Amino acid sequence: MLFIGAPLLYAVLLGYVYSKGKATDLPIIVVDMDQSEMSSKAIEMFNDDEVITIKALLFDKNNLSKIAIDNEANCIVIIPKDFQKMVLTKRYPEIITIVNTANILTANFSSNAIQVCLGTLKVGVQMETLRKQGVPEKLLASQYEPFKTTFVKKNNRSSNYLYYLWPGVLAAVLQQVILLALALSFASEFENGTFKILVEQCPSVLKMMSIKIVPYLIMSFGVWLLYWMFTFYFRIPFFDNLLQLTFVAGIFVLSVSFIGILVSILIPNQLKATEILMVIATPSFILSGFSWPLSQMPNWVQGVANVIPLTHFLKAFRILIIENGTLSQTWDSIKNMIIIGSVCAVWAYIALYFKKKSVLKSDL
């Protein structure tokens, strides 16, 4: 129930949480101390922007902090007194924007939208001034703008937060449920005293490991198909390189499974094995470098991150799906997951071999 239920629940829940994709209608407060035609034009531009919405329009700074908290404002834009007059007399007035960085994401969205609006207003004012000075229409753009700058977005061009975060979190969920499930695999046998029966019925160490892992490999493939179907439901455009990613995901699941098996063999207590694997699984998404660059973390943190399979899987996922790269470009990630899985598999085999030997000796 945990193995199937948790991925299903998180897929639906997170899909709906981020279904909007982009933050819109973020509340801001405008303090218009000028109340002129030009300040009205700025307010109109704020209202026309889809990202921000004016929650309160004030004409003085009284109780500004309280009003900002009451309206959950992300930014406060203060247009000074005599703003239009100073612009027309070239006295270079200043519009102050106070950004509430309690939430960095909404703060960035809001402040960027305000910058775009005020930048557009600047251009309009400058061009109108040049027009009044008699500059021909054909020369207006070149007079104001000596060169053009073009920004082309590539990979998630709409900056959709659902496309960015949903797959990464679900991969973390899949890793967590695999670890939790396999934490109980051998620990439950030791704790319940059934390991001896298992050894009698299945004397091969490899076969014992396979019995525990294969069912979860099959269920993981089912969960993977479930995730893929949800991409259609939430209209996430992940179509290219799916076979290659499925291959990488298989290696990822195997690597995680061997970690779970190893801990379950070494820690013959279900609760303790679960606790240890939870310590590994819980911070893995934060450490993976998916949301915060791995290169910006201390070297010892990078070392910890590199022994967690999720770190390498998410890197491969980003290359194949987000950046539309090739399988060969993910070789480093694949190699690292194979190394992690192989080391854990060898240690698990050795540990299980000695556990089996110990049980057989006790019967003599």
Side-chain angles (χ1 to χ4, degrees), residues 81-352:
K81 192 176 180 182
D82 298 326
F83 171 68
Q84 179 171 297
K85 183 180 177 182
M86 285 191 280
V87 169
L88 296 176
T89 55
K90 297 185 177 180
R91 286 161 60 189
Y92 204 59
E94 180 183 18
I95 293 179
I96 296 173
T97 302
I98 301 170
V99 182
N100 179 7
T101 51
N103 185 318
I104 294 174
L105 177 71
T106 55
N108 287 339
F109 270 110
S110 303
S111 58
N112 287 341
I114 291 168
Q115 284 177 356
V116 169
C117 292
L118 295 179
T120 305
L121 182 63
K122 283 180 185 178
V123 173
V125 170
Q126 181 68 20
M127 292 183 75
E128 188 62 33
T129 303
L130 293 172
R131 190 177 285 115
K132 287 179 179 178
Q133 291 174 356
V135 176
E137 288 290 330
K138 290 183 179 180
L139 296 176
L140 278 177
S142 60
Q143 284 281 336
Y144 175 74
E145 189 178 42
F147 63 91
K148 290 184 179 180
T149 55
T150 303
F151 295 86
V152 180
K153 287 185 177 180
K154 185 183 178 185
N155 311 321
N156 195 3
R157 294 177 66 179
S158 62
S159 300
N160 192 303
Y161 213 65
L162 176 65
Y163 302 170
Y164 156 66
L165 194 63
W166 187 78
V169 174
L170 292 191
V173 170
L174 182 59
Q175 175 181 265
Q176 189 156 331
V177 294
I178 292 171
L179 289 175
L180 286 174
L182 288 172
L184 310 177
S185 56
F186 285 104
S188 61
E189 302 279 4
F190 300 137
E191 208 168 50
N192 297 330
T194 56
F195 183 66
K196 180 181 176 181
I197 299 169
L198 180 66
V199 170
E200 289 170 355
Q201 293 182 350
C202 184
S204 167
V205 173
L206 283 176
K207 197 172 179 182
M208 274 194 281
M209 292 172 65
S210 300
I211 286 169
K212 297 296 185 182
I213 291 176
V214 170
Y216 290 105
L217 291 180
I218 295 168
M219 286 192 286
S220 295
F221 185 72
V223 171
W224 186 252
L225 288 176
L226 190 69
Y227 284 173
W228 177 66
M229 287 188 284
F230 272 119
T231 63
F232 291 98
Y233 182 78
F234 289 114
R235 298 179 183 178
I236 303 174
F238 293 161
F239 308 116
D240 299 326
N241 296 326
L242 280 175
L243 285 176
Q244 293 91 323
L245 184 66
T246 302
F247 169 72
V248 176
I251 297 171
F252 164 66
V253 169
L254 268 174
S255 181
V256 174
S257 297
F258 284 124
I259 293 175
I261 285 286
L262 175 61
V263 173
S264 186
I265 295 168
L266 294 178
I267 311 296
N269 180 282
Q270 295 181 70
L271 180 60
K272 287 181 180 178
T274 304
E275 287 173 349
I276 289 170
L277 288 172
M278 279 296 290
V279 169
I280 297 171
T282 302
S284 60
F285 182 74
I286 298 168
L287 297 176
S288 68
F290 194 75
S291 58
W292 180 257
L294 203 61
S295 60
Q296 305 305 305
M297 301 178 194
N299 289 334
W300 70 270
V301 176
Q302 293 183 39
V304 172
N306 283 325
V307 298
I308 301 174
L310 184 68
T311 303
H312 308 291
F313 174 73
L314 290 180
K315 184 179 178 182
F317 166 81
R318 180 171 277 164
I319 291 171
L320 289 172
I321 301 298
I322 307 297
E323 298 174 358
N324 201 25
T326 62
L327 186 63
S328 62
Q329 291 173 302
T330 66
W331 170 240
D332 284 342
S333 299
I334 293 171
K335 180 183 69 177
N336 289 328
M337 285 190 287
I338 290 172
I339 290 171
I340 294 168
S342 299
V343 169
C344 290
V346 169
W347 278 105
Y349 181 92
I350 294 169
L352 193 58

